[in-house]
Amino acid sequence: MAKKKNNKDTQKINDLEQYRVDSDEKVMTTNQGLKVNDTNNSLKSGERGATLLEDFLLREKITHFDHERIPERIVHARGSGAHGFFELYESIEKYSKAGIFTDTERKTPVFVRFSTVAGSKGSPDLARDVRGFAVKFYTEEGTWDLVGNNMPIFFIQDAMKFPDLIHSVKPEPNNEIPQAASAHDTFYDFVSRTTETLHNHIWAMSDRAIPRSLRMMEGFGIHTFRLINKKGESHFVKFHWKPTLGVHSVTWEEAVKINGADADFHRRDLWDAIEAGQFPEWELGIQVVPEKDEHKYEFDLLDPTKLIPEEMVPVQIIGKMTLNRNPDNFFAETEQVAFLPGHIVPGIDFTNDPLLQGRLFSYRDTQLSRLGTPNFHQIPINKPIVPVHNNQRDGHMQMDIPEGRGAYFPNSLMGSCPHLAKMADGGFTHYEERIDAKKIRARSESFNDHFSQPALFYRSLSDWEQEHVAGAYSFELGKCKVQDIKERMLYMISQIDSDLAKIVAENIGLKVPKIVEKPINQAIGADASKKEQQPGNKKNYLEEDPALSQANTKFDSIATRQIACLVADEFDMSAFKKMKKALEKENAMVKLIAPHGGTVTCDEGMDHEVDAAISTTESVLFDAVYVPGGEKAVMQLKKEGKYIKFINEAFKHCKAIAVDGAGEQLLDASFVKDHKDDAAIHISASPNNFIESISQHRNWDRREVAMQVPV
Ligand code: HDD
């Protein structure tokens, strides 16, 4: 049933109301409104005869079905969306005149789509990949799209290379293998020859590429944009989204298993959190650089493979985005939403970042083939919340009925309407950047530092994060077949950090070459005369940037964490009740996992609904495990190997485990038996200790022991 209008809804949600179709208690009709009496049988010449061409009901139904797919996005095909709103904490009018950045009374509607990049629409959520983080702000001055990722930099510096990058990472063209995975020869052939990719690539090898939840990852606008104030002054800006739940990830081993246990893990997590009223939130931050400081840094602000370390320019938090409503229909909203980096509003402008410049062309173009019409802005989810008037006409699927005799400007027949807006009335004008240059096909020498920031990133990580990076490189290169490619890649890694390269080399059974056969100056296909395109020497302008490490994120909440409670009939109700109450007070999700579905009976004789039978779920889908005890119950759990495996896996993945009473016997039957003194193992302890461990996300101190767990 369609949701009723609610005065808490944003203007966009209310606008969408007119398009929602509620079939509750309605009769079935054709698309022409004809009431349908039989939708199960085609019209035939006799009960066993051939179907008649006359059967318009069959043809309408089948034809529509035959055409119900549209091309999936060429990249970011797999995505999940949600509605919400953005609120500004305080005006930043000294930087921007945009209403969204000056009016603290506003609740700007947003639609957000998160995505993976390489996989197809049906690929699993936990691929090692960059995540798309695209936000459509329906502002009162028109729609602004901030089409970013969960990593602050990009793989390439010039849009001209985007098709090469994507062709290399997508499944190989001869056999369409592998799906949603970068671990193959073509990708590493490209990366090892294109040194500008190494910064984004090392991020993709880090835990950032396997988030615990879409709600627990950062977002970045990546490019340097401009903010323009009322006086027409420009400041450079980078946009950041900071999740209020902190930035957390799973391990690669879990990711691989999650993909099998629940390929929709992230999509489901986002959906469930919103349905449960646990609304995901991100604060919006900006890094502002005055025009005069454009050339102050050792990297170029226009180079999208570079971040501005937060140590050098702190992030100012200016507002908050909350996602509070799931779409009513995946196709109509999440699939048809069209993001264009070219959608901006007065107060925000572009820079000459050559990647951004190319994107300004690509997105409109792709929507034309994906959505099939230049009228894609009329699709409800894409419609601005403000009126649209211009002289663009016709085209496939025109939904409007423009009145009047003409469609041109200037005119006198229509009273010169629609008329132009003066700048003072919100008419958009571009920032008047001075340009005096030669027309050349080249890249600035200031873009040629390809190793300093990957090295800064690696140096800034904690021990456990560095280990994960080494593991990821080893896995990815271990999957490659061509030795030349692997060696060239090892050489590139050695340019970032020689110790890292040695670990990876050892893991894949090769040696780090001192020099590679093709010098790196061929990396960008440069002819040797283009000296400015050769990667420059590694610089060290900052020892560490703590903001780059997830070890420095927030660890103060267990809200929405999934806690598996392993129970069987006659489990200990009093211990369970106490634990459940404490966990739910902190907004964690307590799930009963039992030997069977239906209900399970506690030792006080009450029936409890089971959330999942053990045969339908896996340890990797949960953040922590609790066993309440009860002799008989635990006896039954001990008999089933999967419960032991459940505990072992939770331990292996460094998660918190708590047991009460007889529950300890399950630990004794598992690998945990000899590690009960671990800081995140709680035996008949206060729920608060367990809660504290869960809020720490993982006990990484355990990782050496954890490696020995044989699952
Ligand atoms: Fe892109 C989709 C993010 C560079 C061409 N891109 C797309 C989406 C995101 C990004 C989040 C999915 C939007 C959605 O949910 O519908 N892309 C980025 C970022 C980039 C970037 C952060 C660099 C900073 N992209 C980029 C370049 C090009 C494209 C350089 C082409 C020259 N991107 C596309 C596209 C897509 C797209 C082919 C596919 C579907 C779509 O646009 O709507 O046009």
Side-chain angles (χ1 to χ4, degrees):
M1 208 167 77
K3 289 172 190 149
K4 292 283 163 290
K5 198 164 155 173
N6 173 340
N7 59 10
K8 284 201 199 115
D9 287 338
T10 61
Q11 186 182 343
K12 184 63 194 173
I13 294 297
N14 294 337
D15 276 3
L16 289 175
E17 184 58 29
Q18 61 187 302
Y19 302 103
R20 293 193 192 105
V21 178
D22 177 359
S23 295
D24 201 28
E25 294 184 19
K26 304 287 184 328
V27 69
M28 183 183 287
T29 70
T30 65
N31 288 334
Q32 304 310 312
L34 177 72
K35 290 180 183 164
V36 175
N37 163 268
D38 183 341
T39 192
N40 299 321
N41 299 294
S42 50
L43 189 68
K44 300 180 199 78
S45 50
E47 276 168 13
R48 303 178 64 247
T51 300
L52 300 178
L53 189 60
E54 182 191 324
D55 192 352
F56 68 99
L57 293 176
L58 172 78
R59 271 184 288 129
E60 185 194 83
K61 189 172 173 183
I62 298 287
T63 309
H64 198 281
F65 174 75
D66 288 345
H67 294 263
E68 69 187 25
R69 288 285 170 274
I70 61 171
E72 67 173 32
R73 287 166 173 82
I74 179 87
V75 281
H76 297 266
R78 167 88 185 163
S80 307
H83 292 275
F85 54 89
F86 172 77
E87 291 165 306
L88 186 69
Y89 292 153
E90 58 186 275
S91 167
I92 53 160
E93 63 186 349
K94 64 178 168 180
Y95 302 131
S96 174
K97 64 182 174 189
I100 187 176
F101 289 148
T102 51
D103 185 352
T104 52
E105 300 293 301
R106 279 193 197 185
K107 195 169 161 184
T108 302
V110 300
F111 187 79
V112 179
R113 185 174 179 275
F114 303 106
S115 46
T116 50
V117 180
S120 293
K121 196 168 169 284
S123 56
D125 279 342
L126 264 290
R128 174 174 294 286
D129 202 349
V130 175
R131 298 297 182 287
F133 194 126
V135 183
K136 188 176 279 298
F137 296 88
Y138 303 92
T139 90
E140 291 171 27
E141 293 79 25
T143 300
W144 173 37
D145 290 344
L146 183 58
V147 195
N149 282 341
N150 75 328
M151 300 181 191
I153 31 70
F154 200 64
F155 286 96
I156 46 166
Q157 297 171 327
D158 191 312
M160 190 77 158
K161 293 219 61 62
F162 192 68
D164 299 302
L165 166 72
I166 300 305
H167 287 170
S168 78
V169 72
K170 282 272 182 180
E172 298 192 8
N174 51 351
N175 56 13
E176 186 74 1
I177 297 175
Q179 177 56 239
S182 53
H184 57 116
D185 285 325
T186 56
F187 184 56
Y188 284 94
D189 193 17
F190 178 80
V191 168
S192 63
R193 286 179 182 281
T194 314
T195 43
E196 70 201 62
T197 60
L198 292 174
H199 190 197
N200 201 157
H201 184 260
I202 195 168
W203 277 75
M205 293 302 106
S206 79
D207 292 353
R208 303 276 180 152
I210 37 174
R212 158 63 184 86
S213 160
L214 301 170
R215 303 173 292 119
M216 298 174 199
M217 61 185 201
E218 288 182 299
F220 302 89
I222 299 179
H223 309 286
T224 302
F225 289 88
R226 286 177 189 280
L227 291 178
I228 312 295
N229 65 17
K230 259 201 176 131
K231 291 189 218 150
E233 293 161 343
S234 157
H235 286 81
F236 293 110
V237 65
K238 295 252 191 210
F239 294 107
H240 294 243
W241 290 111
K242 304 244 180 212
T244 54
L245 292 177
V247 186
H248 303 288
S249 297
V250 298
T251 65
W252 176 238
E253 212 225 33
E254 281 176 280
V256 171
K257 289 182 173 172
I258 291 171
N259 282 339
D262 183 4
D264 304 301
F265 186 71
H266 281 158
R267 181 178 285 177
R268 191 186 311 283
D269 166 275
L270 179 67
W271 181 278
D272 287 352
I274 294 175
E275 289 301 298
Q278 295 284 332
F279 300 142
E281 292 174 337
W282 287 261
E283 290 192 305
L284 180 66
I286 50 172
Q287 282 176 300
V288 178
V289 176
E291 277 272 323
K292 66 172 173 44
D293 289 349
E294 179 172 3
H295 302 292
K296 176 175 154 185
Y297 302 100
E298 302 215 36
F299 45 86
D300 195 324
L301 293 178
L302 300 187
D303 173 358
T305 66
K306 304 295 180 300
L307 52 84
I308 310 180
E310 292 188 30
E311 279 294 280
M312 295 168 90
V313 179
V315 172
Q316 310 171 38
I317 298 297
I318 61 166
K320 190 169 77 177
M321 175 170 79
T322 306
L323 299 183
N324 66 343
R325 180 178 170 128
N326 280 315
D328 289 287
N329 183 276
F330 183 88
F331 181 85
E333 299 171 81
T334 310
E335 193 61 12
Q336 291 201 107
V337 67
F339 293 93
L340 282 78
H343 287 168
I344 50 168
V345 291
I348 303 169
D349 212 329
F350 313 122
T351 58
N352 294 333
D353 171 343
L355 193 73
L356 173 60
Q357 293 283 320
R359 293 180 76 194
L360 298 178
F361 165 73
S362 179
Y363 288 66
R364 178 169 299 280
D365 190 38
T366 211
Q367 308 310 348
L368 291 177
S369 75
R370 203 170 71 78
L371 300 168
T373 166
N375 294 319
F376 65 82
H377 60 281
Q378 295 179 354
I379 295 172
I381 192 71
N382 293 327
K383 248 180 128 120
I385 57 165
V386 284
V388 172
H389 298 281
N390 57 46
N391 294 312
Q392 294 161 30
R393 289 291 183 271
D394 310 343
H396 281 293
M397 301 292 165
Q398 175 59 249
M399 298 290 158
D400 294 338
I401 307 177
E403 295 176 355
R405 251 180 101 181
Y408 52 87
F409 189 88
N411 69 66
S412 52
L413 291 180
M414 281 78 66
S416 201
C417 288
H419 56 78
L420 297 179
K422 295 196 180 67
M423 201 176 150
D425 298 331
F428 183 84
T429 54
H430 288 271
Y431 175 67
E432 291 184 7
E433 184 181 358
R434 194 186 152 76
I435 295 183
D436 176 12
K438 285 190 195 150
K439 183 159 72 179
I440 47 168
R441 196 179 285 284
R443 207 170 291 187
S444 169
E445 201 175 338
S446 56
F447 279 36
N448 78 356
D449 173 11
H450 300 170
F451 303 117
S452 310
Q453 290 210 351
L456 169 66
F457 176 71
Y458 187 67
R459 278 199 305 273
S460 303
L461 298 181
S462 61
D463 293 355
W464 50 270
E465 289 172 297
Q466 289 190 341
E467 284 167 24
H468 291 165
V469 167
Y473 275 119
S474 308
F475 177 91
E476 298 265 310
L477 296 184
K479 289 277 186 180
C480 290
K481 302 270 181 285
V482 179
Q483 181 149 339
D484 262 9
I485 293 176
K486 294 195 252 197
E487 286 184 341
R488 199 165 48 237
M489 200 56 218
L490 284 174
Y491 178 78
M492 295 309 166
I493 301 170
S494 73
Q495 302 301 297
I496 300 172
D497 188 287
S498 55
D499 289 342
L500 172 63
K502 274 187 214 134
I503 300 169
V504 178
E506 195 175 320
N507 287 345
I508 63 171
L510 291 175
K511 290 219 157 25
V512 182
K514 294 245 168 338
I515 185 148
V516 277
E517 175 219 342
K518 292 247 180 217
I520 39 180
N521 64 21
Q522 299 213 355
I524 42 184
D527 85 44
S529 65
K530 288 189 174 170
K531 286 279 182 291
E532 76 283 2
Q533 296 195 10
Q534 319 311 322
N537 291 336
K538 192 161 70 177
K539 304 175 199 164
N540 190 344
Y541 41 84
L542 183 67
E543 193 40 42
E544 275 183 20
D545 188 10
L548 301 180
S549 165
Q550 291 182 220
N552 299 321
T553 189
K554 288 187 183 173
F555 294 98
D556 56 1
S557 165
I558 64 161
T560 73
R561 294 299 188 144
Q562 304 286 320
I563 319 298
C565 296
L566 307 185
V567 293
D569 283 338
E570 298 199 33
F571 70 90
D572 177 351
M573 183 58 193
S574 85
F576 173 71
K577 203 155 85 185
K578 190 169 154 210
M579 182 61 88
K580 181 171 158 57
K581 197 171 159 207
L583 291 169
E584 288 185 342
K585 193 164 161 249
E586 302 296 323
N587 292 322
M589 306 294 188
V590 175
K591 298 285 158 74
L592 285 188
I593 314 299
H596 49 74
T599 56
V600 63
T601 312
C602 66
D603 62 359
E604 293 177 11
M606 284 179 289
D607 287 344
H608 302 261
E609 210 169 306
V610 170
D611 291 290
I614 186 79
S615 57
T616 65
T617 194
E618 293 290 338
S619 185
V620 289
L621 304 178
F622 296 89
D623 293 290
V625 184
Y626 170 60
V627 191
E631 284 289 342
K632 251 188 152 171
V634 175
M635 281 283 275
Q636 203 188 335
L637 300 184
K638 268 174 25 189
K639 275 192 230 147
E640 187 141 1
K642 197 160 176 200
Y643 284 103
I644 315 285
K645 178 171 167 256
F646 208 97
I647 297 279
N648 282 343
E649 280 195 339
F651 187 76
K652 185 176 185 77
H653 302 135
C654 301
K655 294 173 185 173
I657 302 173
V659 295
D660 273 318
E664 189 174 351
Q665 294 171 28
L666 202 60
L667 293 189
D668 289 333
S670 76
F671 189 88
V672 188
K673 182 171 181 259
D674 300 326
H675 306 283
K676 290 199 275 188
D677 55 349
D678 179 286
I681 302 293
H682 303 284
I683 300 169
S684 299
S686 148
N688 288 343
N689 299 350
F690 186 39
I691 288 170
E692 172 57 24
S693 290
I694 304 169
S695 72
Q696 294 307 304
H697 185 58
R698 301 295 160 99
N699 176 18
W700 296 119
D701 293 344
R702 182 196 295 166
R703 61 196 192 283
E704 249 181 58
V705 178
M707 268 170 59
Q708 299 161 17
V709 182
V711 283

